[in-house]
Short mmCIF file of all heavy atoms in Angstrom, two decimals:
data_model
loop_
_atom_site.label_atom_id
_atom_site.label_comp_id
_atom_site.label_asym_id
_atom_site.label_seq_id
_atom_site.Cartn_x
_atom_site.Cartn_y
_atom_site.Cartn_z
N MET A 1 15.53 5.58 13.57
CA MET A 1 15.47 5.18 12.15
C MET A 1 16.57 4.15 11.89
O MET A 1 17.75 4.45 11.97
CB MET A 1 15.70 6.42 11.28
CG MET A 1 15.28 6.20 9.83
SD MET A 1 13.51 6.00 9.61
CE MET A 1 12.97 7.71 9.86
N SER A 2 16.19 2.94 11.59
CA SER A 2 17.19 1.90 11.38
C SER A 2 17.34 1.57 9.91
O SER A 2 16.38 1.66 9.13
CB SER A 2 16.81 0.65 12.16
OG SER A 2 15.62 0.11 11.68
N ILE A 3 18.55 1.20 9.55
CA ILE A 3 18.83 0.82 8.17
C ILE A 3 18.63 -0.68 8.04
O ILE A 3 19.16 -1.45 8.86
CB ILE A 3 20.28 1.20 7.81
CG1 ILE A 3 20.46 2.71 7.95
CG2 ILE A 3 20.61 0.74 6.40
CD1 ILE A 3 21.89 3.17 7.79
N PRO A 4 17.88 -1.12 7.05
CA PRO A 4 17.68 -2.56 6.88
C PRO A 4 18.97 -3.26 6.46
O PRO A 4 19.85 -2.65 5.87
CB PRO A 4 16.63 -2.65 5.76
CG PRO A 4 16.74 -1.36 5.02
CD PRO A 4 17.17 -0.34 6.02
N ASP A 5 19.08 -4.55 6.80
CA ASP A 5 20.26 -5.34 6.43
C ASP A 5 20.35 -5.51 4.91
O ASP A 5 21.42 -5.58 4.35
CB ASP A 5 20.20 -6.72 7.07
CG ASP A 5 20.40 -6.64 8.58
OD1 ASP A 5 21.02 -5.67 9.05
OD2 ASP A 5 19.94 -7.55 9.28
N PHE A 6 19.18 -5.59 4.31
CA PHE A 6 19.15 -5.72 2.85
C PHE A 6 17.80 -5.23 2.35
O PHE A 6 16.88 -4.99 3.14
CB PHE A 6 19.39 -7.18 2.43
CG PHE A 6 18.33 -8.15 2.88
CD1 PHE A 6 17.28 -8.46 2.03
CD2 PHE A 6 18.38 -8.73 4.13
CE1 PHE A 6 16.28 -9.37 2.44
CE2 PHE A 6 17.40 -9.63 4.55
CZ PHE A 6 16.35 -9.94 3.70
N LEU A 7 17.70 -5.09 1.05
CA LEU A 7 16.45 -4.72 0.41
C LEU A 7 16.02 -5.86 -0.50
O LEU A 7 16.81 -6.73 -0.83
CB LEU A 7 16.64 -3.45 -0.42
CG LEU A 7 17.10 -2.22 0.36
CD1 LEU A 7 17.43 -1.10 -0.61
CD2 LEU A 7 16.04 -1.76 1.34
N VAL A 8 14.77 -5.83 -0.89
CA VAL A 8 14.27 -6.84 -1.83
C VAL A 8 13.94 -6.15 -3.14
O VAL A 8 13.21 -5.16 -3.17
CB VAL A 8 13.02 -7.54 -1.27
CG1 VAL A 8 12.50 -8.58 -2.27
CG2 VAL A 8 13.33 -8.21 0.07
N CYS A 9 14.51 -6.67 -4.21
CA CYS A 9 14.21 -6.16 -5.55
C CYS A 9 12.83 -6.67 -5.95
O CYS A 9 12.59 -7.87 -5.96
CB CYS A 9 15.27 -6.68 -6.53
SG CYS A 9 14.88 -6.37 -8.25
N VAL A 10 11.93 -5.75 -6.27
CA VAL A 10 10.58 -6.18 -6.60
C VAL A 10 10.50 -6.76 -8.02
O VAL A 10 9.54 -7.43 -8.37
CB VAL A 10 9.55 -5.04 -6.45
CG1 VAL A 10 9.48 -4.56 -5.02
CG2 VAL A 10 9.83 -3.88 -7.38
N GLU A 11 11.53 -6.49 -8.83
CA GLU A 11 11.55 -7.01 -10.19
C GLU A 11 11.80 -8.52 -10.22
O GLU A 11 11.18 -9.25 -10.98
CB GLU A 11 12.62 -6.30 -11.02
CG GLU A 11 12.41 -4.79 -11.16
CD GLU A 11 11.18 -4.45 -11.99
OE1 GLU A 11 10.81 -5.27 -12.84
OE2 GLU A 11 10.61 -3.38 -11.76
N CYS A 12 12.75 -8.98 -9.39
CA CYS A 12 13.11 -10.40 -9.42
C CYS A 12 13.03 -11.05 -8.04
O CYS A 12 13.34 -12.22 -7.89
CB CYS A 12 14.50 -10.58 -10.02
SG CYS A 12 15.82 -9.89 -9.00
N GLU A 13 12.60 -10.26 -7.03
CA GLU A 13 12.39 -10.77 -5.68
C GLU A 13 13.67 -11.31 -5.05
O GLU A 13 13.63 -12.22 -4.23
CB GLU A 13 11.28 -11.82 -5.67
CG GLU A 13 9.98 -11.26 -6.22
CD GLU A 13 8.84 -12.28 -6.17
OE1 GLU A 13 9.11 -13.45 -5.85
OE2 GLU A 13 7.70 -11.90 -6.43
N SER A 14 14.83 -10.77 -5.46
CA SER A 14 16.10 -11.17 -4.87
C SER A 14 16.52 -10.18 -3.80
O SER A 14 16.20 -8.99 -3.89
CB SER A 14 17.18 -11.20 -5.95
OG SER A 14 16.86 -12.15 -6.93
N PRO A 15 17.25 -10.65 -2.79
CA PRO A 15 17.79 -9.73 -1.80
C PRO A 15 18.91 -8.90 -2.42
O PRO A 15 19.67 -9.39 -3.26
CB PRO A 15 18.33 -10.65 -0.69
CG PRO A 15 18.56 -11.96 -1.36
CD PRO A 15 17.57 -12.05 -2.48
N CYS A 16 18.97 -7.65 -2.04
CA CYS A 16 19.95 -6.72 -2.58
C CYS A 16 20.72 -6.09 -1.43
O CYS A 16 20.12 -5.54 -0.52
CB CYS A 16 19.22 -5.65 -3.37
SG CYS A 16 20.26 -4.27 -3.85
N TYR A 17 22.04 -6.21 -1.50
CA TYR A 17 22.88 -5.70 -0.41
C TYR A 17 23.64 -4.43 -0.78
O TYR A 17 24.34 -3.86 0.05
CB TYR A 17 23.87 -6.78 0.01
CG TYR A 17 23.19 -8.02 0.54
CD1 TYR A 17 22.86 -9.08 -0.30
CD2 TYR A 17 22.84 -8.11 1.89
CE1 TYR A 17 22.22 -10.21 0.18
CE2 TYR A 17 22.20 -9.24 2.38
CZ TYR A 17 21.90 -10.28 1.51
OH TYR A 17 21.26 -11.39 1.98
N ILE A 18 23.53 -4.02 -2.02
CA ILE A 18 24.26 -2.84 -2.48
C ILE A 18 23.28 -1.67 -2.59
O ILE A 18 22.49 -1.58 -3.53
CB ILE A 18 24.91 -3.11 -3.85
CG1 ILE A 18 25.81 -4.33 -3.76
CG2 ILE A 18 25.70 -1.88 -4.30
CD1 ILE A 18 26.33 -4.80 -5.11
N PHE A 19 23.29 -0.82 -1.59
CA PHE A 19 22.37 0.32 -1.63
C PHE A 19 22.87 1.45 -0.74
O PHE A 19 23.72 1.26 0.12
CB PHE A 19 20.97 -0.12 -1.22
CG PHE A 19 20.87 -0.64 0.20
CD1 PHE A 19 20.61 0.22 1.25
CD2 PHE A 19 21.04 -2.00 0.47
CE1 PHE A 19 20.52 -0.26 2.56
CE2 PHE A 19 20.95 -2.49 1.76
CZ PHE A 19 20.69 -1.62 2.81
N GLU A 20 22.34 2.63 -1.00
CA GLU A 20 22.64 3.82 -0.20
C GLU A 20 21.38 4.23 0.53
O GLU A 20 20.33 4.40 -0.07
CB GLU A 20 23.07 4.97 -1.12
CG GLU A 20 24.42 4.79 -1.76
CD GLU A 20 25.56 5.08 -0.80
OE1 GLU A 20 25.38 5.91 0.10
OE2 GLU A 20 26.62 4.45 -0.97
N TRP A 21 21.51 4.36 1.84
CA TRP A 21 20.36 4.71 2.66
C TRP A 21 20.70 6.00 3.37
O TRP A 21 21.69 6.07 4.12
CB TRP A 21 20.12 3.58 3.67
CG TRP A 21 18.84 3.69 4.42
CD1 TRP A 21 18.64 4.37 5.58
CD2 TRP A 21 17.58 3.10 4.09
NE1 TRP A 21 17.34 4.23 5.99
CE2 TRP A 21 16.67 3.45 5.10
CE3 TRP A 21 17.15 2.29 3.02
CZ2 TRP A 21 15.33 3.04 5.07
CZ3 TRP A 21 15.83 1.88 3.01
CH2 TRP A 21 14.94 2.24 4.02
N LYS A 22 19.95 7.05 3.13
CA LYS A 22 20.28 8.36 3.67
C LYS A 22 19.08 8.97 4.37
O LYS A 22 18.03 9.18 3.74
CB LYS A 22 20.74 9.26 2.53
CG LYS A 22 21.61 10.42 2.98
CD LYS A 22 22.21 11.11 1.75
CE LYS A 22 23.26 12.12 2.13
NZ LYS A 22 23.87 12.74 0.94
N GLU A 23 19.24 9.24 5.67
CA GLU A 23 18.19 9.91 6.45
C GLU A 23 16.83 9.25 6.26
O GLU A 23 15.83 9.90 6.04
CB GLU A 23 18.15 11.40 6.07
CG GLU A 23 19.44 12.11 6.47
CD GLU A 23 19.49 13.54 5.93
OE1 GLU A 23 18.50 13.98 5.35
OE2 GLU A 23 20.52 14.18 6.10
N GLY A 24 16.85 7.92 6.33
CA GLY A 24 15.59 7.18 6.27
C GLY A 24 15.03 6.99 4.88
O GLY A 24 13.94 6.47 4.73
N VAL A 25 15.78 7.41 3.87
CA VAL A 25 15.29 7.29 2.50
C VAL A 25 16.30 6.51 1.66
O VAL A 25 17.50 6.75 1.74
CB VAL A 25 15.07 8.69 1.88
CG1 VAL A 25 14.61 8.58 0.44
CG2 VAL A 25 14.06 9.47 2.69
N LEU A 26 15.79 5.62 0.84
CA LEU A 26 16.65 4.90 -0.08
C LEU A 26 16.99 5.82 -1.25
O LEU A 26 16.10 6.28 -1.95
CB LEU A 26 15.92 3.65 -0.59
CG LEU A 26 16.69 2.85 -1.63
CD1 LEU A 26 17.96 2.26 -1.06
CD2 LEU A 26 15.80 1.75 -2.20
N THR A 27 18.28 6.10 -1.41
CA THR A 27 18.68 7.02 -2.46
C THR A 27 19.22 6.29 -3.70
O THR A 27 19.06 6.77 -4.82
CB THR A 27 19.74 8.02 -1.96
OG1 THR A 27 20.87 7.30 -1.47
CG2 THR A 27 19.18 8.88 -0.85
N GLU A 28 19.88 5.15 -3.47
CA GLU A 28 20.45 4.40 -4.59
C GLU A 28 20.44 2.93 -4.26
O GLU A 28 20.67 2.54 -3.11
CB GLU A 28 21.90 4.79 -4.84
CG GLU A 28 22.11 6.04 -5.65
CD GLU A 28 23.60 6.27 -5.90
OE1 GLU A 28 24.26 5.36 -6.43
OE2 GLU A 28 24.09 7.34 -5.54
N ALA A 29 20.18 2.10 -5.26
CA ALA A 29 20.27 0.66 -5.07
C ALA A 29 20.50 0.02 -6.43
O ALA A 29 20.10 0.57 -7.46
CB ALA A 29 18.99 0.12 -4.45
N ILE A 30 21.16 -1.11 -6.41
CA ILE A 30 21.34 -1.85 -7.66
C ILE A 30 21.20 -3.34 -7.39
O ILE A 30 21.75 -3.85 -6.41
CB ILE A 30 22.68 -1.51 -8.36
CG1 ILE A 30 22.73 -2.20 -9.73
CG2 ILE A 30 23.86 -1.89 -7.50
CD1 ILE A 30 23.71 -1.60 -10.69
N CYS A 31 20.46 -4.01 -8.23
CA CYS A 31 20.26 -5.44 -8.11
C CYS A 31 21.26 -6.14 -9.01
O CYS A 31 21.29 -5.90 -10.22
CB CYS A 31 18.83 -5.80 -8.52
SG CYS A 31 18.55 -7.58 -8.56
N GLU A 32 22.08 -7.01 -8.41
CA GLU A 32 23.09 -7.72 -9.19
C GLU A 32 22.47 -8.83 -10.03
O GLU A 32 23.10 -9.36 -10.93
CB GLU A 32 24.13 -8.34 -8.25
CG GLU A 32 25.02 -7.31 -7.59
CD GLU A 32 26.12 -7.99 -6.79
OE1 GLU A 32 25.78 -8.70 -5.82
OE2 GLU A 32 27.29 -7.80 -7.12
N VAL A 33 21.25 -9.20 -9.70
CA VAL A 33 20.61 -10.32 -10.40
C VAL A 33 19.98 -9.86 -11.72
O VAL A 33 20.22 -10.46 -12.77
CB VAL A 33 19.55 -10.99 -9.49
CG1 VAL A 33 18.83 -12.11 -10.23
CG2 VAL A 33 20.21 -11.53 -8.23
N CYS A 34 19.17 -8.80 -11.68
CA CYS A 34 18.45 -8.39 -12.88
C CYS A 34 18.90 -7.02 -13.41
O CYS A 34 18.45 -6.59 -14.46
CB CYS A 34 16.94 -8.40 -12.63
SG CYS A 34 16.36 -7.06 -11.59
N GLY A 35 19.78 -6.34 -12.66
CA GLY A 35 20.29 -5.07 -13.13
C GLY A 35 19.40 -3.88 -12.81
O GLY A 35 19.70 -2.76 -13.20
N ASN A 36 18.31 -4.12 -12.11
CA ASN A 36 17.43 -3.04 -11.70
C ASN A 36 18.18 -2.02 -10.85
O ASN A 36 18.87 -2.38 -9.90
CB ASN A 36 16.27 -3.67 -10.90
CG ASN A 36 15.37 -2.64 -10.27
OD1 ASN A 36 15.22 -1.54 -10.78
ND2 ASN A 36 14.76 -3.01 -9.17
N ASP A 37 18.06 -0.74 -11.19
CA ASP A 37 18.73 0.28 -10.38
C ASP A 37 17.79 1.44 -10.05
O ASP A 37 18.23 2.55 -9.79
CB ASP A 37 20.00 0.78 -11.07
CG ASP A 37 19.73 1.48 -12.39
OD1 ASP A 37 18.57 1.51 -12.83
OD2 ASP A 37 20.68 2.02 -12.99
N ASP A 38 16.50 1.16 -10.05
CA ASP A 38 15.51 2.17 -9.71
C ASP A 38 15.16 2.04 -8.22
O ASP A 38 14.59 1.03 -7.82
CB ASP A 38 14.27 1.95 -10.57
CG ASP A 38 13.18 2.97 -10.28
OD1 ASP A 38 13.38 3.82 -9.38
OD2 ASP A 38 12.14 2.91 -10.94
N PRO A 39 15.51 3.05 -7.42
CA PRO A 39 15.23 2.96 -5.97
C PRO A 39 13.76 2.69 -5.67
O PRO A 39 13.44 2.08 -4.64
CB PRO A 39 15.67 4.34 -5.44
CG PRO A 39 16.67 4.83 -6.42
CD PRO A 39 16.23 4.28 -7.75
N ASP A 40 12.87 3.12 -6.55
CA ASP A 40 11.44 2.87 -6.34
C ASP A 40 11.08 1.40 -6.49
O ASP A 40 10.00 0.98 -6.11
CB ASP A 40 10.61 3.69 -7.33
CG ASP A 40 10.65 5.18 -7.02
OD1 ASP A 40 10.97 5.53 -5.86
OD2 ASP A 40 10.37 5.98 -7.92
N SER A 41 11.98 0.62 -7.07
CA SER A 41 11.71 -0.79 -7.32
C SER A 41 12.36 -1.70 -6.28
O SER A 41 12.56 -2.88 -6.53
CB SER A 41 12.19 -1.18 -8.72
OG SER A 41 11.45 -0.49 -9.70
N PHE A 42 12.68 -1.12 -5.12
CA PHE A 42 13.20 -1.91 -4.01
C PHE A 42 12.35 -1.64 -2.78
O PHE A 42 11.89 -0.52 -2.58
CB PHE A 42 14.66 -1.55 -3.71
CG PHE A 42 15.62 -1.95 -4.80
CD1 PHE A 42 15.85 -1.10 -5.88
CD2 PHE A 42 16.28 -3.16 -4.76
CE1 PHE A 42 16.73 -1.46 -6.90
CE2 PHE A 42 17.17 -3.53 -5.77
CZ PHE A 42 17.38 -2.67 -6.84
N VAL A 43 12.16 -2.66 -1.97
CA VAL A 43 11.43 -2.49 -0.72
C VAL A 43 12.22 -3.14 0.41
O VAL A 43 13.08 -4.00 0.17
CB VAL A 43 10.02 -3.12 -0.79
CG1 VAL A 43 9.15 -2.38 -1.80
CG2 VAL A 43 10.07 -4.60 -1.12
N THR A 44 11.93 -2.72 1.63
CA THR A 44 12.57 -3.36 2.78
C THR A 44 11.93 -4.73 2.99
O THR A 44 10.81 -4.98 2.52
CB THR A 44 12.37 -2.51 4.05
OG1 THR A 44 10.99 -2.44 4.34
CG2 THR A 44 12.94 -1.11 3.87
N PRO A 45 12.63 -5.63 3.69
CA PRO A 45 12.05 -6.96 3.95
C PRO A 45 10.68 -6.86 4.64
O PRO A 45 9.77 -7.63 4.32
CB PRO A 45 13.09 -7.63 4.86
CG PRO A 45 14.37 -6.96 4.50
CD PRO A 45 14.02 -5.54 4.17
N ASP A 46 10.54 -5.92 5.56
CA ASP A 46 9.25 -5.75 6.24
C ASP A 46 8.15 -5.36 5.26
O ASP A 46 7.04 -5.87 5.30
CB ASP A 46 9.37 -4.68 7.34
CG ASP A 46 10.08 -5.22 8.57
OD1 ASP A 46 10.31 -6.44 8.64
OD2 ASP A 46 10.40 -4.40 9.44
N ASP A 47 8.48 -4.41 4.38
CA ASP A 47 7.50 -3.99 3.40
C ASP A 47 7.17 -5.13 2.43
O ASP A 47 6.03 -5.28 2.00
CB ASP A 47 8.03 -2.79 2.59
CG ASP A 47 7.96 -1.51 3.40
OD1 ASP A 47 7.31 -1.50 4.46
OD2 ASP A 47 8.56 -0.51 2.97
N TYR A 48 8.20 -5.90 2.10
CA TYR A 48 7.98 -7.01 1.18
C TYR A 48 7.06 -8.04 1.80
O TYR A 48 6.15 -8.55 1.15
CB TYR A 48 9.31 -7.65 0.79
CG TYR A 48 9.13 -8.72 -0.24
CD1 TYR A 48 8.85 -8.39 -1.56
CD2 TYR A 48 9.19 -10.08 0.10
CE1 TYR A 48 8.65 -9.36 -2.52
CE2 TYR A 48 8.99 -11.06 -0.86
CZ TYR A 48 8.73 -10.70 -2.16
OH TYR A 48 8.52 -11.66 -3.09
N ASP A 49 7.28 -8.33 3.09
CA ASP A 49 6.39 -9.27 3.79
C ASP A 49 4.95 -8.75 3.77
O ASP A 49 4.01 -9.51 3.59
CB ASP A 49 6.84 -9.45 5.23
CG ASP A 49 8.07 -10.36 5.34
OD1 ASP A 49 8.39 -11.04 4.35
OD2 ASP A 49 8.69 -10.37 6.41
N ALA A 50 4.80 -7.44 3.96
CA ALA A 50 3.46 -6.85 3.96
C ALA A 50 2.82 -7.00 2.59
O ALA A 50 1.63 -7.32 2.48
CB ALA A 50 3.55 -5.37 4.35
N LEU A 51 3.61 -6.79 1.55
CA LEU A 51 3.10 -6.93 0.18
C LEU A 51 2.72 -8.39 -0.10
O LEU A 51 1.65 -8.69 -0.63
CB LEU A 51 4.16 -6.49 -0.83
CG LEU A 51 4.46 -4.99 -0.91
CD1 LEU A 51 5.64 -4.76 -1.86
CD2 LEU A 51 3.27 -4.21 -1.40
N ALA A 52 3.64 -9.30 0.25
CA ALA A 52 3.43 -10.70 -0.04
C ALA A 52 2.28 -11.28 0.78
O ALA A 52 1.51 -12.11 0.30
CB ALA A 52 4.71 -11.49 0.22
N GLY A 53 2.19 -10.83 2.04
CA GLY A 53 1.15 -11.33 2.90
C GLY A 53 -0.21 -10.75 2.60
O GLY A 53 -1.24 -11.31 2.98
N GLY A 54 -0.16 -9.59 1.90
CA GLY A 54 -1.32 -8.85 1.44
C GLY A 54 -2.54 -8.97 2.21
O GLY A 54 -3.63 -8.77 1.98
ZN1 ZN B 101 16.36 -7.71 -9.39
#
């Protein structure tokens, strides 16, 4: 189980480097750009590529 280098905020599509990753689950994250702090509103870069590539 690897921790991603960063997450992508789905609200503003910015990379987010401030997050807590515990046992493979994102527990906390905050976006400095839009203030989003809902862990459900962040995805890993791989997941974001999957979403964007749809
Ligand atoms: Zn954001």
Side-chain angles (χ1 to χ4, degrees):
M1 196 67 73
S2 64
I3 300 172
D5 290 336
F6 64 94
L7 300 172
V8 179
C9 170
V10 298
E11 298 293 333
C12 66
E13 302 182 352
S14 297
C16 169
Y17 298 91
I18 304 171
F19 62 90
E20 289 283 330
W21 190 272
K22 203 170 189 178
E23 295 172 5
V25 178
L26 177 64
T27 58
E28 278 183 55
I30 186 160
C31 174
E32 290 186 297
V33 178
C34 73
N36 173 29
D37 64 355
D38 180 358
D40 289 339
S41 295
F42 292 86
V43 294
T44 63
D46 283 350
D47 284 348
Y48 185 75
D49 283 346
L51 289 174

